[in-house]
Amino acid sequence: MEIELNETQREIETSVRKITQQFTDDYWHECDENSRFPEEFYRAMADAGWLGITMPEELGGAGLGVTEAAIMMHTVASGGGGQAAASSIHINLFGPHAIVVHGSPEQKKRWLTPLIKGEEKACFGVTEPDAGLDTTSIKTFAKKVDGGYRITGRKMWTSTGQEAHKIVILARTTPKSECKRPTDGMTLFYSDLDRTKIEVRRIKKLGRNAVDSNATFIDDYFVPESDRIGDEGRGFYYLLDSLNPERVLVGIEAIGIGRDALNRAAKYARDRVVFGRPIGKNQGIQHPLAEAWCSLEAAYWMCMRAAYLYDKGLPCGAEANAAKFLSGRASFDATTKAVLTHGGMGYAREFQVERLFRESMLPRIAPVTEQMILNFIAEKVLDLPKSY
Ligand SMILES: Cc1cc2nc3c(=O)[nH]c(=O)nc-3n(C[C@H](O)[C@H](O)[C@H](O)COP(=O)(O)OP(=O)(O)OC[C@H]3O[C@@H](n4cnc5c(N)ncnc54)[C@H](O)[C@@H]3O)c2cc1C
């Protein structure tokens, strides 16, 4: 058993690091402060070909696995830009997975090529205000009409909706009450984000302010039949394919943020002199940071284990969920300790750790909460009765 990155994987790290190093703390601070999308970073990643890392080679992608995508996203998130950097490109990696697997050759060419080149951005509308984590209770409905569908409903938290040219929508095409199983009767669409029919209202939020999230109102929005992904009624099952990679990527991004914060804290602890010695000479400062290092390291390798299983085509649900759970907590713990190590300066914007701290709450909540992960492990791994 070898647990190490190979040469190609280390090269990914080195190449991506060269890009992240071009973007300073001031850059990320400004994007966060002004709620401005990091277009320059996004463009640099697109121009270097990274937006297609997991996309098919025949369309200009690199055709690599979730392991390589995870290495890339860890490098991105640990490079100072945290969640803002990661979320500006994250959706490209596994968001369009349903298209890669279930799209027709014509759809793949039409949709994936502009995403890979960075000519188009996409957003993802699954969550709804009245359904929450109970996805089968979504109300957004796509009514069959001549040549396509008319969609009406509401989505919540649609990230990058202010920037996106395209939107993935999960909608009911058959009411839940008429389906054999609650997971039947939902359909996935990918179409132009027509702002005359879709209002995208930005939500003010705790962190990751450079990348918008929105309440989305869809009113009698026409989608041609050619913009339906795969078969009608199979949308929920298509989404399932991408859930495990998404958990791994969100987990590893959290680790990147935690490691960045930890490095900043260790540097501050070496430099800051109080009572005539560096604060890092006190075990009360050292030990929490050392403990954070241990947790981040363990969670990192859990992510890599889940990625490895996924890429081998092996079951990885428990591992991917555990990876996201452990990473979210380890990251939040590390950023909290980083703020505390900085004392008063931890609360100041100048030292960046408060930004990382605010962002580290997000991977504990999205794309799935800690409670739902524990429900999954209890039920599927420990064979305990379903609790809800
Ligand atoms: C910044 C941000 C960006 C996002 N981006 C997107 C996006 O681009 N597209 C998209 O579709 N969604 C997006 N989301 C939505 C995100 O995936 C959801 O917020 C998340 O899945 C939680 O759903 P909810 O907010 O509806 O929580 P709810 O379902 O309302 O749950 C609230 C709380 O109750 C708990 N709970 C509920 N049921 C149970 C149960 N049976 N057992 C134990 N606990 C339970 C939950 O764990 C949670 O703690 C984003 C969210 C945020 C915050």
Side-chain angles (χ1 to χ4, degrees):
M1 183 171 45
E2 201 176 304
I3 307 183
E4 236 191 308
L5 302 193
N6 64 32
E7 210 180 311
T8 315
Q9 293 167 342
R10 278 198 300 272
E11 271 169 24
I12 293 176
E13 249 177 15
T14 310
S15 308
V16 175
R17 180 65 71 222
K18 279 190 190 140
I19 298 178
T20 62
Q21 280 169 345
Q22 295 164 25
F23 295 87
T24 61
D25 281 351
D26 285 347
Y27 175 80
W28 293 112
H29 175 79
E30 186 271 319
C31 288
D32 187 66
E33 194 86 345
N34 297 316
S35 299
R36 186 177 76 80
F37 187 82
E39 188 65 36
E40 301 79 4
F41 173 76
Y42 166 85
R43 177 69 19 229
M45 292 297 283
D47 290 348
W50 292 110
L51 299 194
I53 188 168
T54 56
M55 301 281 194
E57 281 176 281
E58 63 273 20
L59 296 173
L64 294 171
V66 69
T67 306
E68 284 73 25
I71 291 163
M72 166 180 140
M73 292 312 284
H74 175 260
T75 314
V76 164
S78 62
Q83 276 280 334
S87 299
S88 71
I89 57 171
H90 171 107
I91 192 167
N92 257 53
L93 305 186
F94 279 91
H97 191 63
I99 301 171
V100 174
V101 180
H102 304 284
S104 68
E106 182 275 323
Q107 287 177 328
K108 286 187 208 179
K109 192 160 181 292
R110 179 158 56 98
W111 291 337
L112 300 180
T113 307
L115 280 179
I116 294 169
K117 289 188 179 162
E119 292 166 354
E120 280 179 0
K121 299 188 187 97
C123 63
F124 208 68
V126 173
T127 307
E128 294 195 5
D130 298 328
L133 287 154
D134 181 9
T135 306
T136 68
S137 296
I138 60 166
K139 298 276 188 304
T140 297
F141 200 87
K143 189 168 172 287
K144 188 84 193 72
V145 293
D146 240 14
Y149 297 81
R150 290 207 166 270
I151 306 182
T152 297
R154 282 178 66 189
K155 295 290 173 184
M156 193 61 186
W157 289 114
T158 324
S159 293
T160 71
Q162 300 290 336
E163 301 289 326
H165 308 87
K166 297 277 185 179
I167 183 166
V168 179
I169 295 184
L170 182 73
R172 277 228 160 260
T173 34
T174 310
K176 189 174 173 178
S177 56
E178 292 172 25
C179 294
K180 215 158 100 192
R181 284 175 300 185
T183 43
D184 293 341
M186 285 176 273
T187 302
L188 264 186
F189 300 92
Y190 184 81
S191 202
D192 292 339
L193 202 166
D194 174 1
R195 289 174 198 273
T196 64
K197 296 290 178 184
I198 302 180
E199 188 194 341
V200 182
R201 220 179 276 167
R202 192 171 188 136
I203 300 169
K204 288 193 178 170
K205 57 193 193 313
L206 175 70
R208 206 200 65 183
N209 294 316
V211 177
D212 58 275
S213 293
N214 303 277
T216 303
F217 302 80
I218 308 166
D219 184 17
D220 198 29
Y221 163 55
F222 178 76
V223 174
E225 191 137 1
S226 55
D227 286 358
R228 189 189 68 217
I229 303 173
D231 296 332
E232 192 180 294
R234 301 288 303 160
F236 185 82
Y237 303 103
Y238 296 162
L239 271 187
L240 289 181
D241 286 345
S242 60
L243 294 188
N244 289 326
E246 187 181 31
R247 283 162 178 45
V248 171
L249 294 181
V250 169
I252 208 100
E253 290 163 15
I255 298 297
I257 293 167
R259 284 181 165 167
D260 183 18
L262 182 61
N263 289 337
R264 289 172 193 267
K267 178 178 185 316
Y268 192 82
R270 286 190 297 271
D271 295 347
R272 170 77 173 159
V273 174
V274 182
F275 293 110
R277 62 201 197 138
I279 56 167
K281 214 168 174 193
N282 302 301
Q283 288 186 341
I285 290 287
Q286 285 184 5
H287 286 189
L289 299 183
E291 218 178 307
W293 183 90
C294 298
S295 302
L296 288 167
E297 191 70 10
Y300 176 86
W301 289 107
M302 191 72 210
C303 289
M304 295 311 271
R305 161 105 181 122
Y308 168 87
L309 292 172
Y310 181 86
D311 287 340
K312 287 263 174 223
L314 296 167
C316 66
E319 290 79 3
N321 275 286
K324 213 280 294 192
F325 179 88
L326 293 171
S327 302
R329 288 215 169 165
S331 177
F332 184 73
D333 181 54
T335 61
T336 305
K337 284 168 176 164
V339 169
L340 295 173
T341 300
H342 282 73
M345 282 308 173
Y347 218 63
R349 296 249 152 131
E350 182 188 344
F351 283 83
Q352 312 299 324
V353 286
E354 64 79 36
R355 171 169 57 87
L356 300 173
F357 167 71
R358 284 185 281 118
E359 290 186 346
S360 71
M361 180 56 98
L362 183 53
R364 297 187 66 180
I365 299 169
V368 64
T369 60
E370 293 181 354
Q371 293 92 331
M372 292 311 282
I373 288 180
L374 296 177
N375 285 344
F376 177 88
I377 304 273
E379 220 184 297
K380 306 286 181 204
V381 181
L382 304 176
D383 198 22
L384 294 169
K386 185 167 176 162
S387 58
Y388 59 100

